[in-house]
């Protein structure tokens, strides 16, 4: 559907490219890296992996993001009220999640082809709500990005209590995901937002300096305490032995293991702990597609992060991206089908500037909307 949309727009819609020199350089580097990535993936997929559709989905996601960078600013497509639409869809989806979770005690509702998979809440490690996603961390990433979206555009709400209501609403969704690393990422984003306010108003003049700093410090300590109750902080929740075993397997299989990844390929991490993935997006990519493909995929993500931070030029962008990368490094947080949506949220969090068409009883355009 994304490919059809892109082709239709490029063939039949008037275009006014507003990309500056930085965007052009970024896009050129991304295209070169993407070509190398596809060349490497196609070679190793043909020999060993046969993960062609995953390679296609990741590539389409990158092209979609470049399309947004080049064609979205200053275009009539803003008249579609996309910011309000995304918030509306997010709220409706989250309400459906809450209803299924509390009414029917469902951990997730996964739809694969023509069959629906209903999973209950009985889990060894807690509730672990994942809603429409295969894993709880993937839903946690979407919720975390949605929270960052609300924080980024909080000044566009005519009624501030609505914005903070959205924040608390999504925060509860993050809570039932039971993904503590996502809360750590949220604290980093909030810390960046506080630093931006300090930079703008000054340390001594900003009355919420000590209050905000104290709340964030208390929240950080609470998150660490909750993690410490469930897992060992010394091993980062068993991540260090998992990563060590994963790196050993990657070095032993530099060309990737292809379709053996997952349930057909378990790793002994420590003691009686066996895992079916590396609990790290980049290590997973290297183990599935080959070491060169994993490196190039990491480069693409870091290019997008660096570009959005440079354009935003805010501590919020830096802190929130550190939180996102923290989550990406702690679990299998992004799957190929979800990837384009992740980049769509990335665009709206860091690059989208609301226009007058976003005005509504809930959301309105603001001169301060660029301030994180």
């Amino acid at each position: 559907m994304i490919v059809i949309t892109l082709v239709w727009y490029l063939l039949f819609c008037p275009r006014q490219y507003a990309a500056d020199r930085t965007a052009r350089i970024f896009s050129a580097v991304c295209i070169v890296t993407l070509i190398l990535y596809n060349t490497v993936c196609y070679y190793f997929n043909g020999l060993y992996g046969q993960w062609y559709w995953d390679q296609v989905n990741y590539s389409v996601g990158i092209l979609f993001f470049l399309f947004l960078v080049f064609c979205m600013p200053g275009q009539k497509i803003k008249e579609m009220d996309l910011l309000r639409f995304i918030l509306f869809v997010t709220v409706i989806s989250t309400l459906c999640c809450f209803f299924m979770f509390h009414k029917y005690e469902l951990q997730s509702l996964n739809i694969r082809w023509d069959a629906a998979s209903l999973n209950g809440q009985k889990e060894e490690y807690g509730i672990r709500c994942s809603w429409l996603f295969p894993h709880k961390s993937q839903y946690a990433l979407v919720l975390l990005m949605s929270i960052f979206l609300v924080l980024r555009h909080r000044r566009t709400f005519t009624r501030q209590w609505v914005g903070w209501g959205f924040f608390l609403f999504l925060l509860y969704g993050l809570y039932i995901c039971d993904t503590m690393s996502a809360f750590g990422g949220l604290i980093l984003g909030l810390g960046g937002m506080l630093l931006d306010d300090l930079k703008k108003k000054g340390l001594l003049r900003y009355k919420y300096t000590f209050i905000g700093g104290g709340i964030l410090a208390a929240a950080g300590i609470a998150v660490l305490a909750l993690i410490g109750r469930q897992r060992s902080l010394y091993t980062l929740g068993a991540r260090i032995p998992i990563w060590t075993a994963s790196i050993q397997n990657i070095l032993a299989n530099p060309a990737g293991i292809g379709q053996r990844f997952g349930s057909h390929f378990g790793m002994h991490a420590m003691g009686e702990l066996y895992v079916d993935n590396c609990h790290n997006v980049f290590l997973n990519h290297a183990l599935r597609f080959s070491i060169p493909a994993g490196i190039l995929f990491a480069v693409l993500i870091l290019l997008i992060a660096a570009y959005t931070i440079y354009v935003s030029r805010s501590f919020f962008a830096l802190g929130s991206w550190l939180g996102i990368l923290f989550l990406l490094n702690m679990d299998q947080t992004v799957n190929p089908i979800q990837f384009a949506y992740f980049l769509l949220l990335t665009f709206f969090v860091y690059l989208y500037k609301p226009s007058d068409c976003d005005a509504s009883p809930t959301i309105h355009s603001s001169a301060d909307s660029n301030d994180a």
Side-chain angles (χ1 to χ4, degrees):
M1 294 304 298
I2 291 176
V3 170
I4 292 173
T5 301
L6 297 182
V7 172
W8 178 271
Y9 185 87
L10 294 174
L11 289 179
F12 300 108
C13 297
R15 299 178 299 281
Q16 295 179 356
Y17 300 112
D20 56 15
R21 183 172 179 270
T22 303
R24 293 196 297 270
I25 294 174
F26 161 74
S27 300
V29 175
C30 271
I31 289 294
V32 171
T33 308
L34 188 62
I35 292 173
L36 292 174
Y37 170 79
N38 275 277
T39 302
V40 168
C41 282
Y42 186 77
Y43 173 75
F44 287 110
N45 281 337
L47 288 180
Y48 310 104
Q50 301 176 352
W51 287 100
Y52 291 111
W53 279 113
D54 286 1
Q55 171 190 343
V56 170
N57 281 329
Y58 285 123
S59 301
V60 168
I62 296 293
L63 292 174
F64 179 50
F65 184 78
L66 296 179
F67 163 79
L68 294 174
V69 169
F70 264 86
C71 301
M72 180 65 77
Q75 297 301 309
K76 291 184 178 181
I77 198 169
K78 283 186 174 181
E79 297 174 2
M80 298 170 66
D81 293 339
L82 289 182
L83 177 59
R84 182 167 51 183
F85 175 75
I86 287 179
L87 290 173
F88 173 79
V89 169
T90 301
V91 169
I92 294 299
S93 175
T94 310
L95 282 173
C96 291
C97 170
F98 291 171
F99 177 78
M100 299 295 285
F101 183 80
H102 291 292
K103 177 68 174 179
Y104 297 105
E105 297 186 347
L106 288 179
Q107 167 200 333
S108 63
L109 172 62
N110 299 137
I111 300 174
R112 298 247 168 44
W113 299 107
D114 59 346
S117 174
L118 306 177
N119 299 321
Q121 293 179 10
K122 295 181 180 179
E123 283 280 345
E124 180 181 358
Y125 296 105
I127 48 181
R128 302 169 67 93
C129 179
S130 59
W131 185 217
L132 300 176
F133 299 89
H135 193 263
K136 63 164 187 170
S137 64
Q138 295 165 4
Y139 186 41
L141 177 63
V142 169
L143 288 172
L144 180 64
M145 295 291 291
S146 300
I147 291 174
F148 286 155
L149 179 66
V150 171
L151 293 175
R152 168 68 171 79
H153 298 291
R154 68 189 187 281
R155 291 192 176 94
T156 63
F157 291 91
T158 54
R159 300 178 180 90
Q160 290 297 302
W161 65 267
V162 175
W164 289 111
F166 280 3
F167 171 80
L168 295 175
F169 178 74
L170 296 171
L171 189 65
Y172 178 73
L174 205 60
Y175 166 73
I176 65 175
C177 282
D178 193 26
T179 304
M180 289 295 104
S181 53
F183 280 96
L186 176 60
I187 290 172
L188 289 173
L190 291 172
M193 187 175 72
L194 178 63
L195 289 177
D196 281 326
D197 285 337
L198 291 178
K199 179 182 176 182
K200 182 178 179 181
K201 300 177 181 179
L203 178 62
L204 297 178
R205 294 171 56 188
Y206 188 51
K207 60 182 179 181
Y208 299 114
T209 299
F210 299 105
I211 298 176
I215 292 175
L216 286 179
I221 294 172
V223 169
L224 289 176
L226 288 173
I227 295 175
R229 290 180 183 178
Q230 298 177 357
R231 308 186 182 199
S232 171
L233 292 176
Y234 180 74
T235 60
L236 297 181
R239 292 305 189 271
I240 293 178
I242 293 174
W243 295 336
T244 301
S246 301
I247 292 173
Q248 292 174 354
N249 279 288
I250 290 170
L251 294 177
N253 300 274
I257 61 174
Q259 293 186 352
R260 289 190 296 142
F261 181 86
S263 60
H264 301 290
F265 187 86
M267 291 180 293
H268 177 239
M270 66 176 186
E272 299 181 354
L273 177 61
Y274 285 84
V275 294
D276 60 0
N277 73 90
C278 304
H279 286 67
N280 182 297
V281 168
F282 307 108
L283 293 180
N284 278 342
H285 215 86
L287 185 59
R288 294 177 67 187
F289 297 101
S290 75
I291 292 177
I295 293 174
L296 289 169
F297 181 75
V299 169
L300 285 169
I301 297 296
L302 293 177
L303 280 172
I304 293 172
Y307 174 70
T308 52
I309 291 173
Y310 176 79
V311 172
S312 298
R313 299 186 185 185
S314 65
F315 288 110
F316 171 75
L318 177 60
S320 57
W321 257 113
L322 288 175
I324 293 168
L325 291 174
F326 177 65
L327 189 54
L328 293 178
N329 278 280
M330 293 297 288
D331 233 318
Q332 191 176 353
T333 314
V334 173
N335 63 33
I337 300 175
Q338 174 195 4
F339 187 63
Y341 185 58
F342 163 66
L343 293 182
L344 175 67
L345 289 175
T346 299
F347 174 82
F348 275 94
V349 172
Y350 301 106
L351 303 179
Y352 180 74
K353 299 178 181 179
S355 62
D356 292 337
C357 66
D358 289 312
S360 72
T362 303
I363 302 175
H364 74 96
S365 177
S366 171
D368 295 330
S369 62
N370 293 331
D371 296 329

